[in-house]
Every structure is written in C-alpha cells, then in structure tokens.
Amino acid sequence: MSHFVIKCVKCGSELEEVYCAFCEHCRESLLITEYREKEFRDDRGKGAWRFNWLPVHAPSIDQPGPAVYESLGLAEHLGLNHLYIAFNGYWPEREALLQTCTFKELEAAVVFQNAAENEINGLVVASAGNTAKAFSHLSAVSGFPVFIVVPKMCLVDMWSLEPFQPVPILAVSDGDYADSIDVARRISHTLGVPFEGGVKNVAKRDGLGIVLLEACASVGKLPDHYFQAVGSGTGAIGVREAAERFIRDGRFGSLLPMLHLAQNAPFVPMVNAWGRGSRYLLPEDLRPELIGQITTRVLSTRYPAYSIWGGVYDALRATGGRMYGITNEAVYMAMDLFENTEGVDISPAAGVAVAALKEAVGTGAVKRENTILLNITGGGEKRLKRERKTFHIKPRIISKGISEEEIEKLLCHALKKH
Ligand SMILES: *Cc1c(COP(=O)(O)O)cnc(C)c1O
C-alpha cells in the first residue's frame, strides 16, 4: 500500500497514485496529497529525502535540501528576535549545497522521482528560467530524459555544473515563452512524454513544501509569518499545504503561518487582485509591457495559480495573508542589505522577499517577538561561480515552426537510449 493518496481539495474525491491529474468533477480545482502518517518524521533518508511527507518511495539520486538557520545580522538590522532563514542555494559554510542555486531544484527532484516511479519515461518542460536549469541538472545527474524548451533570449542565464546533457536543450530562436510552450506541447504529443505539470503536479508543490519541513524540523514549531517572492505561486501553495499537515500533526502549533507574498512592481497582478479582495486577475494587470520593466524574470509568469481552487487566493484567505509590490530599486537595496548583513549573495527574486520583510517590519505587520521564516528562494550563484567550473549550456537552436518529423529526428534517440 502506498503511503499517500491524492484528493480533490474541492469535492474530496480520492484517486490512487496518478501522475498529474485534475479532478474529474472539478476542473478548476487542485488535487492534494494526503499522507497516511499524520505524524511528521524526518528519519527516512538523506538530505531532502529525510521527510515522510513526500510522494516518493525509493529515491534514486542524492538531493540536498535547503539550509535553515537563525539570522543574526539581518535580524539585528531589522530589530527582530526570531528570524529564521531558509537558504536555497550554494553556501557551503551553511551546508547549503543546491547545485543550481534555487529552490526550483527541490521541486524538480521530487517531480522527477515521482514521475520515474509512475513509470513515465521522460518529461517535457517549457521554462524561461530556473526551472529549466534545475531540470537540466537533474536530467544530467540521473540520465532521465527531460526535454527542455526555452526562448533563445533566456540562454544567457542557462549554465550547468555538468558538461554534458543526455538530451539537447532546445532554444526557440524566433519566439517568446508562449512559443516555447507551444513547441513543448508538440514534443509531448509526438514522443508521448507528459509535461512536468506545473502547479497541478502534487509532487511539485510537495517538493517546494520541503522548505517548511526543513524549517519545522530545525526550529521545532511553525513560524508565525512566512515571506516569499511569488511568480506562479506554486511554492507558497506548497508551504500552506505543508503547514496544514503540521497542524493536523498537533506538535508544531495550531495556527497557520501568515503568508506574506511579494511581486516585483510594476508587474503585480496578484497584489492588485488581492488588494481588490478578488479571486480574479485583471487582463490589464497581465500586460507584457509591465514584464519588460521588472528585474526578476522568474517572477513574470502571466498564468499564476491564483484563482484556482486551493491556489494563492485561498492560501491568503486561509492564513490572513498579505501581498507586497516591490520596486526594482527596493530589490537592489535588499540584495545589498542581505549580502552585507548575512555574508552571501542572493538572487533578485530573493531580494523581493527581503524587501517585503523590511516593509512589514516598518508597518508593524510583524513584531519583534514573532517567529519569522524568510524563504531565500535563490542565492550563492556568485559564490558558486567563483569556486566551481560552470558550463554554458549549448542548445539546439530550433524554429517555433518545427515539424513532428524534425522533433522525432532530433529527440527520439534520447528516449530509446533510456
Ligand atoms: C520560481 C522562483 C520564484 C517564484 O516561485 P513560484 O513558485 O513560481 O511562485 C521565486 N524565486 C526564485 C529564485 C525562483 O526561481
């Protein structure tokens, strides 16, 4: 018997282990993992695999988790007594050893392991950023074929510690992110391999929930407040779901952490919708021109999991949460503040979260005595590049009009080899 079942958050229908499905009755609703063990355990393996609340059975690769530690420098600067940092990145002194420097590596590892155990022979990923980097890393260290499509303009950010990829990365020369998704759809159809699934993949949300598992394991209780920069919202939803499991356990407190979620202004569709008290995003808040003005492309998805049942809107409602719109200038200042007070570089997206925390302290939304968890979703990239050799990923450049025959010629052997 499996240690979990999958349930619809709206109607409660139960499904046996399935890969990335929607409820057959409720199209606009997420499925959620329900673990048979109500008690949290962290004695199941090494690194990120220590935890019992993950939808995997027999992990086949090593995967480190985030490093959670109590802040001194930033905490003192902000006047906080119990600030904990979940550092997702590379910082060996803190035993932070994520090889791709962001928390996307956690979701990729759990998605990959869950897919492999569901007898899936490959995955397709379309991404404009850190998701592609994380999956290409997992694919390189495991040999599992992942077909990754990125817009050519995003290639500058694509690096790897591994010199070789089992499957060539495809870069669409004549299109944007939407065209990459379209090519990925064609690959999925031609080769018969599924999409990684985005927010609806329970393995992805539970993988990002590792941040809270690691925090509760080391702090011993749920934080009062949780800060994170959001793009799709998948990470925040995963943390809320993990928090509900801790409350059912009973030993870690009885209140959900308040979610403080931040976007990079002026692209702030969720901030605006939440400000209106609405479950629905407005098209004018999703205009591509706004994306051109922000520094954090990883936060720029135009399809966030906000309105869906069990999504960001419901998570904010359930936790009495808040949203923050952070200007570019505030992002840069927050990145410097973190590096100067904590001693390591962080990614711009993580700077968005730091700036939100600073704002919350200023407005009195969080108090000196509160226990606060700050999710540094990416960091240590400068550090890693100083110490380790990284390789530029050499992609296969393709056109958005690529035919099924060309896809087969280019990629089919990768599946056969596996
Ligand atoms: C993707 C990403 C985020 C946002 O996470 P979502 O789950 O999409 O909301 C934040 N920070 C970094 C570094 C990321 O790569």
Side-chain angles (χ1 to χ4, degrees):
M1 191 169 72
S2 178
H3 63 293
F4 63 94
V5 293
I6 294 168
K7 266 191 172 170
C8 173
V9 297
K10 193 168 180 188
C11 73
S13 310
E14 212 172 274
L15 291 84
E16 276 306 319
E17 258 184 83
V18 282
Y19 186 72
C20 239
F22 268 128
C23 175
E24 56 183 334
H25 322 289
C26 318
R27 283 291 302 171
E28 288 305 310
S29 171
L30 291 172
L31 297 173
I32 194 170
T33 330
E34 197 168 283
Y35 294 97
R36 293 188 206 280
E37 290 183 333
K38 295 279 176 283
E39 280 205 357
F40 172 63
R41 307 286 304 237
D42 65 350
D43 58 359
R44 295 297 147 88
K46 282 200 329 213
W49 306 124
R50 299 202 312 290
F51 307 115
N52 56 339
W53 293 340
L54 292 174
V56 300
H57 299 280
S60 54
I61 45 159
D62 285 341
Q63 179 57 55
V68 175
Y69 70 94
E70 186 166 5
S71 162
L72 296 177
L74 182 63
E76 193 190 323
H77 179 89
L78 295 174
L80 295 170
N81 289 352
H82 307 287
L83 174 61
Y84 292 88
I85 290 174
F87 188 85
N88 290 280
Y90 183 76
W91 193 4
E93 290 80 359
R94 294 272 180 202
E95 287 172 57
L97 297 169
L98 295 186
Q99 310 277 296
T100 59
C101 297
T102 79
F103 78 158
K104 293 289 194 305
E105 195 175 308
L106 301 176
E107 68 173 63
V110 180
V111 164
F112 149 79
Q113 185 63 38
N114 174 268
E117 291 177 2
N118 275 283
E119 281 158 27
I120 277 160
N121 60 352
L123 284 173
V124 183
V125 175
S127 159
N130 292 331
T131 300
K133 215 155 60 188
F135 272 101
S136 72
H137 168 74
L138 263 302
S139 182
V141 298
S142 69
F144 189 80
V146 183
F147 302 92
I148 298 165
V149 192
V150 300
K152 189 171 166 223
M153 63 189 176
C154 298
L155 281 175
V156 281
D157 298 335
M158 287 289 290
W159 52 264
S160 175
L161 292 173
E162 312 295 328
F164 302 109
Q165 301 291 322
V167 181
I169 310 276
L170 304 182
V172 180
S173 59
D174 51 354
D176 59 11
Y177 181 50
D179 296 303
S180 297
I181 294 176
D182 202 54
V183 169
R185 206 171 277 137
R186 246 171 290 151
I187 293 172
S188 170
H189 179 252
T190 309
L191 301 183
V193 292
F195 263 98
E196 46 97 10
V199 70
K200 73 176 179 173
N201 188 339
V202 294
K204 191 162 190 167
R205 287 168 4 241
D206 292 359
L208 293 169
I210 288 173
V211 170
L212 193 68
L213 306 186
E214 194 76 59
C216 285
S218 66
V219 182
K221 63 170 189 162
L222 284 165
D224 304 312
H225 300 278
Y226 171 80
F227 284 80
Q228 195 209 300
V230 290
S232 68
T234 310
I237 300 166
V239 162
R240 181 249 172 140
E241 292 172 350
E244 305 262 12
R245 292 182 187 117
F246 279 109
I247 287 180
R248 282 195 291 276
D249 175 311
R251 295 172 297 162
F252 295 85
S254 57
L255 287 178
L256 289 172
M258 184 187 274
L259 299 187
H260 298 259
L261 308 180
Q263 298 195 283
N264 187 182
F267 183 73
V268 287
M270 293 190 270
V271 180
N272 290 346
W274 183 243
R276 292 192 311 273
S278 170
R279 180 185 281 277
Y280 300 99
L281 304 173
L282 290 180
E284 68 210 51
D285 290 336
L286 296 165
R287 280 175 294 140
E289 308 88 274
L290 298 172
I291 293 175
Q293 297 172 49
I294 65 173
T295 60
T296 53
R297 200 168 44 219
V298 297
L299 304 182
S300 71
T301 176
R302 299 177 65 234
Y303 310 101
Y306 180 80
S307 316
I308 192 168
W309 220 267
V312 173
Y313 174 78
D314 288 327
L316 288 167
R317 285 286 297 259
T319 66
R322 291 177 183 236
M323 292 234 44
Y324 302 77
I326 305 297
T327 62
N328 289 339
E329 201 187 354
V331 174
Y332 296 130
M333 277 169 50
M335 289 169 74
D336 285 343
L337 172 64
F338 192 94
E339 188 160 0
N340 294 334
T341 53
E342 295 291 329
V344 74
D345 62 290
I346 58 172
S347 73
V352 169
V354 174
L357 173 60
K358 203 170 156 208
E359 191 177 317
V361 170
T363 62
V366 297
K367 303 278 186 288
R368 176 181 279 275
E369 287 307 317
N370 290 156
T371 299
I372 297 167
L373 181 63
L374 170 62
N375 188 346
I376 296 297
T377 47
E381 184 169 336
K382 259 184 4 196
R383 174 72 203 270
L384 178 128
K385 285 182 167 168
R386 264 204 313 270
E387 285 177 13
R388 307 271 304 265
K389 179 166 173 49
T390 56
F391 299 88
H392 255 296
I393 290 176
K394 285 194 207 71
R396 218 46 87 72
I397 306 286
I398 55 160
S399 154
K400 64 184 175 188
I402 188 169
S403 69
E404 298 209 341
E405 293 75 47
E406 285 170 289
I407 290 172
E408 290 224 60
K409 221 162 67 197
L410 207 59
L411 297 175
C412 213
H413 71 281
L415 274 182
K416 291 210 187 85
K417 243 188 348 218
H418 186 69

